[in-house]
Amino acid sequence: MLSIDGVTDLWDQLFGAQPDPPGMLVLLTAVAGFLAVAIRPVWRVARNAVTIAHEGGHALFALLTGRKLRGIRLEFDTSGLTLSAGRPTGFGMILTLLGGYIAPSLVGLLGAWLLGGNRITLLLWLAVVLLLLMLINIRNLFGAISLLVTGAIVFAVSWYAEPDVQAAFAYAGVWFLLFGGIRPVFELQNLRSRGRMRDSDPDQLARLTHLPALFWVTVFLAVNVAALLAGAFLLAGQWILTLTT
């Protein structure tokens, strides 16, 4: 059992603020996050993290609107599927469909807010908790392995790595989600323009709301670009202001 001192140390480690990272670390991790999205072979692998956030967004909004979560699948080709039960129309279904494409960017924005307060360890542990909660609802083997491996990597960094390594890992991950939330929207519209993915999230939203699917694609893009700009300011804004004053 943990002693009182041990609990106090753990609490301080989890909720305490870490030192400000070097400005160069913020810049280099931003470049790394962007390149992971821009370079196609890297993106094909790294996109799994975006898919996890995407399907997690569907699941979270389904639960928040009173729908019953039936399960989540993550596939080897980086696609995914989240099934929920409830009314096939209405506000809950709209929010559930809306939550997928904006979730990676919103998770990245939340991460940027935590890093802006130097809560690096808290961010990493929160990521582990969220991955474990998703694991409970996974319904295929690859999805379970993907979440276990991702969670194990994040936990190992949070528990064993030195503070500077934790900072680099956390910043790179958050930058990746902020950049990575935008590319799938363009990929989606590219497929739609070629007559594919007729049951995509924006097409389902169009049928529910009688607003064009392109309107919903634009909403996804606007939200994700706004999240990127806000997240970039939280991560690098103060450092840039320091350099210019």
Side-chain angles (χ1 to χ4, degrees), residues 118-194:
N118 291 335
R119 298 307 196 272
I120 296 171
T121 303
L122 178 60
L123 169 64
L124 296 174
W125 283 33
L126 182 60
V128 172
V129 170
L130 292 175
L131 289 168
L132 289 175
L133 290 175
M134 278 193 69
L135 181 63
I136 297 172
N137 294 286
I138 285 292
R139 296 295 180 265
N140 68 321
L141 180 60
F142 177 80
I145 293 173
S146 181
L147 287 176
L148 285 171
V149 170
T150 304
I153 292 171
V154 177
F155 176 77
V157 171
S158 70
W159 193 260
Y160 297 108
E162 295 297 321
D164 55 344
V165 176
Q166 291 185 14
F169 182 85
Y171 271 83
V174 168
W175 279 117
F176 171 74
L177 287 174
L178 290 171
F179 287 119
I182 294 176
R183 178 165 178 169
V185 180
F186 286 102
E187 293 177 338
L188 166 69
Q189 184 56 27
N190 181 46
L191 291 172
R192 290 189 65 259
S193 67
R194 291 186 283 163

Side-chain angles (χ1 to χ4, degrees), residues 21-243:
M24 187 56 65
L25 181 143
V26 178
L27 176 61
L28 291 177
T29 53
V31 172
F34 175 78
L35 291 178
V37 174
I39 299 174
R40 184 178 295 273
V42 180
W43 171 245
R44 287 176 179 173
V45 177
R47 197 184 195 280
N48 281 290
V50 174
T51 302
I52 290 172
H54 179 111
E55 300 306 327
H58 282 313
L60 177 61
F61 278 94
L63 292 173
L64 289 176
T65 55
R67 298 178 64 82
K68 185 174 182 180
L69 189 60
R70 294 295 191 186
I72 303 170
R73 295 180 63 89
L74 303 171
E75 305 296 348
F76 184 74
D77 63 356
T78 73
S79 64
L81 177 66
T82 298
L83 297 175
S84 62
R87 288 183 56 195
T89 59
F91 188 65
M93 190 63 197
I94 291 172
L95 279 183
T96 299
L97 290 168
L98 184 63
Y101 276 97
I102 64 175
S105 294
L106 293 182
V107 172
L109 182 57
L110 173 61
W113 177 71
L114 289 172
L115 291 180
N118 291 335
R119 298 307 196 272
I120 296 171
T121 303
L122 178 60
L123 169 64
L124 296 174
W125 283 33
L126 182 60
V128 172
V129 170
L130 292 175
L131 289 168
L132 289 175
L133 290 175
M134 278 193 69
L135 181 63
I136 297 172
N137 294 286
I138 285 292
R139 296 295 180 265
N140 68 321
L141 180 60
F142 177 80
I145 293 173
S146 181
L147 287 176
L148 285 171
V149 170
T150 304
I153 292 171
V154 177
F155 176 77
V157 171
S158 70
W159 193 260
Y160 297 108
E162 295 297 321
D164 55 344
V165 176
Q166 291 185 14
F169 182 85
Y171 271 83
V174 168
W175 279 117
F176 171 74
L177 287 174
L178 290 171
F179 287 119
I182 294 176
R183 178 165 178 169
V185 180
F186 286 102
E187 293 177 338
L188 166 69
Q189 184 56 27
N190 181 46
L191 291 172
R192 290 189 65 259
S193 67
R194 291 186 283 163
R196 300 170 62 183
M197 294 187 71
R198 295 186 181 275
D199 287 323
S200 67
D201 293 349
D203 288 288
Q204 294 184 64
L205 283 165
R207 290 193 288 269
L208 286 172
T209 63
H210 305 294
L211 293 170
L214 186 58
F215 168 82
W216 292 107
V217 174
T218 305
V219 169
F220 295 157
L221 183 60
V223 170
N224 293 353
V225 169
L228 171 60
L229 295 175
F233 177 78
L234 289 169
L235 293 172
Q238 295 303 316
W239 175 62
I240 294 173
L241 288 174
T242 301
L243 291 178

